[in-house]
Amino acid sequence: MTRTLLAALSLAVAGVCFFAYPAIRPYTDEASLAGAGAFASPAWLISHTLAMVGFILLVLGLLGLYGILRETRAEPRALAALVLTWAGVGLTLPYYGAETFALAAVGRETLQQNSVDLLVTLTDAIRFGEGVWLFAAGLLALAAGSILFAAAIRRSGIFAQWSGIPLALGFALFLPQFFTPPAVRIAHGLLVMIGCWLVAWSMTNRR
């Protein structure tokens, strides 16, 4: 029971991190000195670090979810879901590290040199280099894993059949939401938080 509570707590805190990430993150024209200031700001470091913490807590929480589901007929799907989500997070985190710390360094250097050209050149190199393919693959794997977890929850018979859907929807939309306005990104963070909380609640109140 203690392990289940710790896993549920991990998911609940992960949800808060995923909501705080877009809520705290500064939004500016990132091809300007204002964008450099945003990259160099404490809000940038804090928000992106919270996202990375959220991913780490997510995999710990999902390990606890798998521990429950492996005693049910949904175990094969749950195992595949666990592997996909862990692989997805592993592929995603390096890119988040670059976004967090490399862009912060670029922002500080841009402000010192007062050079927008430097900002644009280095930002594009960091964001759209080879790492972006691993990042996309990671988010797609995470989306597939969360959908499989929702299917496993539905099949298990010990949770409300729909309780995994919000989390699956949140991670299925994780990649597309990067191309939306700030308000939509914050709403997406709220959706992921609700999904995490719902699964956490279901883990501690299962039939």
Side-chain angles (χ1 to χ4, degrees):
M1 187 63 179
T2 301
R3 292 181 181 178
T4 299
L5 289 175
L6 288 174
L9 179 61
S10 294
L11 277 177
V13 177
V16 174
C17 291
F18 283 122
F19 174 66
Y21 158 52
I24 296 173
R25 179 196 191 279
Y27 297 94
T28 61
D29 177 4
E30 295 180 352
S32 67
L33 289 179
F39 290 158
S41 69
W44 181 269
L45 288 173
I46 292 169
S47 62
H48 284 72
T49 299
L50 284 172
M52 291 188 287
V53 171
F55 281 117
I56 293 168
L57 292 175
L58 176 71
V59 297
L60 294 176
L62 292 179
L63 176 62
L65 177 60
Y66 169 74
I68 296 170
L69 292 173
R70 71 179 178 181
E71 304 299 330
T72 72
R73 59 184 179 177
E75 191 275 338
R77 292 182 186 178
L79 179 58
L82 186 68
V83 171
L84 280 170
T85 51
W86 280 30
V89 168
L91 291 170
T92 300
L93 282 178
Y95 190 90
Y96 262 94
E99 277 262 313
T100 304
F101 303 110
L103 289 185
V106 168
R108 290 191 295 268
E109 190 64 24
T110 297
L111 293 175
Q112 289 179 4
Q113 297 191 23
N114 196 34
S115 173
V116 174
D117 289 341
L118 176 67
L119 174 69
V120 173
T121 300
L122 292 181
T123 298
D124 286 349
I126 291 168
R127 281 183 163 167
F128 305 116
E130 295 82 355
V132 72
W133 298 107
L134 292 180
F135 177 64
L139 289 180
L140 290 174
L142 188 53
S146 63
I147 292 170
L148 274 178
F149 262 124
I153 287 171
R154 179 180 176 84
R155 181 174 174 77
S156 69
I158 60 172
F159 297 112
Q161 291 190 345
W162 53 270
S163 57
I165 293 176
L167 187 65
L169 184 59
F171 283 107
L173 295 174
F174 212 100
L175 185 57
Q177 60 91 24
F178 286 115
F179 305 98
T180 63
V184 177
R185 296 187 64 175
I186 294 171
H188 173 264
L190 180 61
L191 172 63
V192 175
M193 182 176 73
I194 292 171
C196 287
W197 284 5
L198 183 56
V199 173
W201 180 85
S202 297
M203 289 169 64
T204 57
N205 293 274
R206 65 188 186 274
R207 292 192 291 271

